[in-house]
């Protein structure tokens, strides 16, 4: 059986590995001329790490990942700590796997190496997918240059503006969430005493929030800021913004945030979009996954993780069912309720993080901090449904 996969991002590469481990021949088509170092920091929670272990890439990430000491929340203005919950070591004890930070390029590189170790030549860069065709017995991908590649199934892992999803479900316009994002990566040594804490830290504010993490074994500070805006900017990870605009968006914030903005070589700036849950993710021998099926806000740090879960469930469903059509239907049934809940939770977190208006901020957040101190186990329990979920069946 041969699988044709559109998109060589995290979801596409993970799907290819999962299928290759089950005996499929795979071909991954990526429009970019090469897999380059784009994006920035990712948080991989225990439910995602278990998939990486099952795919055989976890070991390759050990030298570059960072395991945060804790998850914490601070006020954006002033930096006062609202709560802090242990994570290093604790995550493995409670959920059976660590909670880690990783540079997207390092994860993509490890996935790429693993796939090519299983099947040489499985990744074809410089191939822009234009559409698909299928019969009852086969499926094919057509490239922008008119060439066609034949297989047994097609998987659309081609992101928010998915060509595969558009052909399957018709053209539509993704919903602007009312938020734009900033991101930057800065060497820790450039920040000195103003380096952010070695945690997964959410800095909350009025109609905006920021998250700081550490990457590359703790040597880089990663910053992502989300700001409510009536006017969307360009939707692209590669788009750059102006330093003055970023500094204005976080004017008066804690010195750790200001130091990152002041020392960043590049500040990327893009609009955040999502879609309502789709009625189906498959049509015959063709299916979509990851952002092509269920884009979400980054406020639960689950976008990449849910794509990893998709990849494992999709491959397992194809293995267990008699036909690809039945396999894709089973994959959708198993995934739709969970990812819809994560989508809703991500949107709810964004609202929670943006509540810190000056007059009533402590009245809103103090009970949360008190609960974390008095009943940390109950606080962690709220994440059990996310972090404790194991699609691999290993735990």
């Amino acid at each position: 059986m041969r699988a044709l996969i559109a998109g060589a991002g995290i979801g596409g590469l993970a799907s290819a590995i999962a299928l290759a481990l089950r005996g499929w021949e795979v071909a991954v088509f990526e429009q970019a001329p090469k897999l380059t170092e784009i994006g920035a920091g990712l948080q991989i929670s225990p439910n995602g790490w278990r998939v990486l272990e099952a795919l055989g890439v976890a070991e390759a990430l050990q030298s570059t990942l960072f395991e945060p000491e804790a998850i914490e929340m601070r006020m954006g203005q002033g930096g006062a700590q609202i709560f802090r919950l242990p994570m290093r070591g604790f995550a493995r004890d409670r959920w059976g796997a660590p909670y880690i930070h990783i540079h997207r390029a390092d994860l993509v590189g490890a996935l790429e190496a693993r796939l090519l170790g299983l099947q040489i030549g499985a990744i074809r860069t410089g191939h822009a997918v234009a559409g698909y065709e299928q019969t009852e017995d086969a499926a094919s991908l057509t490239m922008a240059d008119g060439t066609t590649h034949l297989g047994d199934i097609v998987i659309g892992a081609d992101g928010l503006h998915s060509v595969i999803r558009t052909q399957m479900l018709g053209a539509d316009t993704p919903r602007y969430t009312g938020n734009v994002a900033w991101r930057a990566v800065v060497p820790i040594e450039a920040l000195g005493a103003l380096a952010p804490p070695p945690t997964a830290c959410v800095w909350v504010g009025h109609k905006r929030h920021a998250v700081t993490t550490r990457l590359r074994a703790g040597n880089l500070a990663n910053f992502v800021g989300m700001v409510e805006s009536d006017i969307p900017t360009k939707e692209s990870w590669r788009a750059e913004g102006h330093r003055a605009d970023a500094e204005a968006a976080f004017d008066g914030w804690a010195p750790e945030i200001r130091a990152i903005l002041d020392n960043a070589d590049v500040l990327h700036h893009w609009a955040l979009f999502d879609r309502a849950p789709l009625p189906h993710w498959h049509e015959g021998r063709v299916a979509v996954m990851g952002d092509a099926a269920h884009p979400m806000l980054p406020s639960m740090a689950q976008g990449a993780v849910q794509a990893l879960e998709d990849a494992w469930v999709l491959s397992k469903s194809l293995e267990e069912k008699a036909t690809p059509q039945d396999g894709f239907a089973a994959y959708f049934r198993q995934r739709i309720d969970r990812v819809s809940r994560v989508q809703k939770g991500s949107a709810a977190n964004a609202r929670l993080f943006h509540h810190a208006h000056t007059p009533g901020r402590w009245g809103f957040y103090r009970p949360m901090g008190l609960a974390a101190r008095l009943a940390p186990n109950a606080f962690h329990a709220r994440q059990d449904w996310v972090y404790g979920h194991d699609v691999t069946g290993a735990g």
Side-chain angles (χ1 to χ4, degrees), residues 164-223:
I164 304 302
R165 186 203 57 248
T166 297
Q167 181 175 339
M168 182 186 300
L169 293 164
D172 68 341
T173 302
R175 302 181 304 190
Y176 175 51
T177 65
N179 295 274
V180 297
W182 292 90
R183 68 173 170 86
V185 177
V186 179
I188 287 290
E189 63 181 15
L191 301 174
L194 295 179
T199 63
C201 187
V202 181
W203 308 74
V204 297
H206 180 47
K207 295 187 177 182
R208 67 209 63 217
H209 78 277
V211 176
T212 55
T213 56
R214 294 198 181 187
L215 311 174
R216 298 259 161 91
N219 294 312
L220 296 178
N222 182 67
F223 165 89

Side-chain angles (χ1 to χ4, degrees), residues 174-351:
R175 302 181 304 190
Y176 175 51
T177 65
N179 295 274
V180 297
W182 292 90
R183 68 173 170 86
V185 177
V186 179
I188 287 290
E189 63 181 15
L191 301 174
L194 295 179
T199 63
C201 187
V202 181
W203 308 74
V204 297
H206 180 47
K207 295 187 177 182
R208 67 209 63 217
H209 78 277
V211 176
T212 55
T213 56
R214 294 198 181 187
L215 311 174
R216 298 259 161 91
N219 294 312
L220 296 178
N222 182 67
F223 165 89
V224 176
M226 200 165 97
V227 181
E228 294 180 23
S229 173
D230 294 333
I231 303 174
T233 58
K234 183 179 180 181
E235 196 289 310
S236 170
W237 277 7
R238 299 177 185 272
E240 296 183 15
H242 299 290
R243 190 181 309 275
D245 293 336
E247 291 177 342
F250 296 96
D251 183 38
W253 274 46
E256 293 90 341
I257 301 298
R258 304 292 299 178
I260 293 175
L261 299 180
D262 290 342
N263 286 277
D265 289 336
V266 178
L267 286 161
H268 291 275
H269 187 214
W270 74 103
L272 295 170
F273 292 84
D274 68 3
R275 279 185 166 83
L278 300 177
H280 55 90
W281 300 348
H282 57 97
E283 177 186 68
R285 291 174 171 265
V286 182
V288 291
M289 55 90 67
D291 281 350
H294 47 74
M296 58 188 66
L297 288 173
S299 309
M300 281 181 68
Q302 284 292 303
V305 172
Q306 291 305 306
L308 290 171
E309 288 190 2
D310 280 355
W312 190 265
V313 174
L314 187 154
S315 63
K316 188 170 185 287
S317 297
L318 288 170
E319 180 182 53
E320 293 176 343
K321 298 300 180 180
T323 68
Q325 293 90 331
D326 289 343
F328 285 150
Y331 150 70
F332 174 75
R333 287 194 302 271
Q334 186 171 338
R335 295 293 295 151
I336 183 62
D337 289 345
R338 177 165 171 80
V339 298
S340 296
R341 186 178 178 186
V342 174
Q343 283 177 307
K344 292 176 182 177
S346 298
N349 273 3
R351 294 190 294 271

Side-chain angles (χ1 to χ4, degrees), residues 45-96:
S45 50
N47 49 311
W49 185 257
R50 278 189 289 270
V51 177
L52 294 177
E53 288 182 326
L55 294 175
V57 301
E59 186 62 31
L61 299 172
Q62 292 295 332
S63 64
T64 190
L65 64 78
F66 181 78
E67 191 172 355
E69 293 178 1
I71 289 179
E72 64 176 328
M73 180 181 285
R74 292 174 177 263
M75 284 295 181
Q77 293 187 337
Q81 188 181 88
I82 298 169
F83 69 78
R84 175 187 171 98
L85 293 167
M87 193 55 65
R88 185 179 296 170
F90 178 91
R92 188 177 290 278
D93 291 341
R94 185 177 184 98
W95 298 299

